[in-house]
Amino acid sequence: MGNEMHIFIKMLVVFILILIASRSVGRLCTYVGQPRVLGEMLAGVILGPTLFGAVFPGLYANLFDADIKNILYMFSHLGLALYMFLVGIEVNFKKYDKKFYRNSAKLSLSGFLIPFVAGIALAFILKDAFFQGGNFLHFALFIAIAVSMTAFPMLARILQEKNMMKTKIGGITLLSASVIDVLGWLSLAAVIALVETNSLKGGGVTFLGTIIFVIVLFKVCKPLLERIFVSVVETGKMHQGLLALILVLVLSAAAFTDYIGVYSVFGGFMMGLIMPKNKVFEQQVRSKLEDIVVVFLVPIFFTYSGINTQFTTLNISMLIMFLIILIFSSISKYASCLITMRAAGFGWRESSGVGSLMNARGLMELIVLNVGLTYNIISQDLFSLMVWMAIITTAMALPAYHFSEKFKFKKALPSNTITIK
């Protein structure tokens, strides 16, 4: 048997393991009231050296060798580009009633900037233990971004499951989370530009290229795409030629942003943002792409993250560092959202609920962390600690929200419905 066929068989075995683990653990999480994505995140860690590699070290080393890791890396990045494209399609800044924009803007800024500042402070605390040398500014900015992220896609799923999409809480939370993700990706693009060029001048050139890319997308490509895809809106159907065009556009955007020094998933996300904001079009795209991306490609990314999550030096000091990371991340996000919502006139119960939901980091956090590991901004150990922070904050979101609901604070405002245009 040739070496290529041997690698191919191992790849298929690994894919089978990934599918079984992600679906099984995901189903178990739904039984205990947690979102499926949390189970898929845990499945990735289970298949890594933390559990599978510890119990079956020989089999793990044979299956997850350098060739398979390279394959997982490529498939995971393809999946991320497509997944972020689907996330971008969901982001629509025009569908909400205007009276909610002011509160959403306040919540977005406080929910991003206060954790961002807390993240910079956290970077100084982590410096002696995890900073690998080079430019500390890159390290501090990256930690700040990682602490600031919110899992917009997971929030959308939770709100749909709870029938909260058209409530005050649902509308403001979802809109604010989408803005936070946009701010996070723009900030990450700037940091990666600085890391790639290692100079303010070079970073400025890359960032300028990114700005030009975004302007061309919105001013040139967006109007053209609305004309091209008008038939989908009118007929409610998307033929294979248009689907092929979408894939070409997403992959081209991902390749271009990667080429200019910005992470490839940013291109997929921006391409999703400029797609026609129409329910029929969104449903058609999702019906063609979502299942294969969510069921197959995204779990590959979770597994790739999982095989990079290991605790070779787990000790008391590492545990203390983890608790510090968890406390800084959780309190800064929860408190900023709680105070902002309360100042906007919402009751303590609603404000606490929003703070709880916004704390979920989910897949978005893992994407950011993988960027940091890829560009050698963070160490392997810090990556592992931050992955567990993402898992725990995601697991805490729903229980904390339900805990907030149980309290009967005074002057709690009812969650009236909002108007969707």
Side-chain angles (χ1 to χ4, degrees), residues 3 47 54 60 111 127 150 182 216 225 255 264 274 276 315 329 337:
N3 185 53
L47 288 176
Y60 175 83
K127 181 178 179 180
T150 290
V182 172
V216 171
L225 291 177
S264 57
I274 68 168
N315 50 41
S329 302
C337 296

Side-chain angles (χ1 to χ4, degrees), residues 65 94 111 156 158 184 228 259 264 283 289 294 333 342 351 395:
D65 59 14
K94 295 182 179 180
I158 292 174
I228 292 173
Y259 176 77
S264 57
Q283 288 175 341
L289 292 177
V294 173
K333 180 72 74 170
R342 188 71 185 109
S351 302

Side-chain angles (χ1 to χ4, degrees), residues 264-284:
S264 57
V265 295
F266 180 74
F269 180 64
M270 295 307 301
M271 187 56 65
L273 282 182
I274 68 168
M275 287 290 160
K277 300 304 176 184
N278 179 274
K279 187 175 182 179
V280 174
F281 177 82
E282 181 181 333
Q283 288 175 341
Q284 283 296 304

Side-chain angles (χ1 to χ4, degrees), residues 26-40:
R27 176 64 66 87
L28 288 174
C29 279
T30 60
Y31 284 149
V32 296
Q34 289 286 355
R36 180 182 292 274
V37 67
L38 177 64
E40 293 173 349

Side-chain angles (χ1 to χ4, degrees), residues 70-81:
N70 287 333
I71 291 172
L72 293 178
Y73 176 83
M74 289 184 286
F75 269 89
S76 65
H77 281 67
L78 171 63
L80 288 182

Side-chain angles (χ1 to χ4, degrees), residues 119-337:
I120 292 177
L122 177 62
F124 281 95
I125 297 175
L126 300 176
K127 181 178 179 180
D128 291 339
F130 298 111
F131 181 52
Q132 304 177 111
N135 194 323
F136 179 72
L137 176 63
H138 301 165
F139 178 80
L141 291 176
F142 179 83
I143 297 298
I145 294 169
V147 170
S148 302
M149 294 302 288
T150 290
F152 164 72
M154 199 195 83
L155 277 181
R157 302 300 183 273
I158 292 174
L159 295 173
Q160 286 173 346
E161 291 175 7
K162 300 296 180 181
N163 295 317
M164 294 171 58
M165 293 292 281
K166 294 185 178 181
T167 64
K168 279 186 177 181
I169 300 301
I172 292 175
T173 303
L174 196 62
L175 179 58
S176 301
S178 66
V179 173
I180 287 174
D181 278 358
V182 172
L183 292 174
W185 283 109
L186 290 174
S187 301
L188 189 61
V191 172
I192 295 305
L194 289 172
V195 172
E196 281 283 271
T197 58
N198 201 30
S199 69
L200 288 175
K201 180 180 179 181
V205 171
T206 302
F207 189 63
L208 180 61
T210 304
I211 297 299
I212 294 174
F213 168 71
V214 171
I215 292 174
V216 171
L217 283 183
F218 278 91
K219 296 299 183 180
V220 179
C221 298
K222 190 175 187 295
L224 289 175
L225 291 177
E226 289 177 349
R227 295 180 183 179
I228 292 173
F229 292 113
V230 67
S231 63
V232 179
V233 177
E234 292 176 347
T235 64
K237 296 180 180 180
M238 177 178 291
H239 57 73
Q240 293 179 350
L242 290 179
L243 178 62
L245 175 61
I246 288 176
L247 291 174
V248 168
L249 291 172
V250 175
L251 298 179
S252 298
F256 179 78
T257 50
D258 199 66
Y259 176 77
I260 64 175
V262 184
Y263 203 58
S264 57
V265 295
F266 180 74
F269 180 64
M270 295 307 301
M271 187 56 65
L273 282 182
I274 68 168
M275 287 290 160
K277 300 304 176 184
N278 179 274
K279 187 175 182 179
V280 174
F281 177 82
E282 181 181 333
Q283 288 175 341
Q284 283 296 304
V285 174
R286 289 193 167 279
S287 68
K288 303 290 186 182
L289 292 177
E290 188 169 37
D291 287 347
I292 190 66
V293 172
V294 173
V295 174
F296 181 57
L297 293 176
V298 171
I300 292 176
F301 167 72
F302 286 136
T303 301
Y304 181 76
S305 298
I307 63 179
N308 287 311
T309 303
Q310 49 189 325
F311 297 105
T312 56
T313 58
L314 185 60
N315 50 41
I316 295 298
S317 62
M318 285 280 283
L319 180 59
I320 292 173
M321 287 297 176
F322 169 71
L323 292 176
I324 291 173
I325 292 171
L326 184 62
I327 290 170
F328 265 74
S329 302
S330 300
I331 293 181
S332 63
K333 180 72 74 170
Y334 175 79
S336 61
C337 296

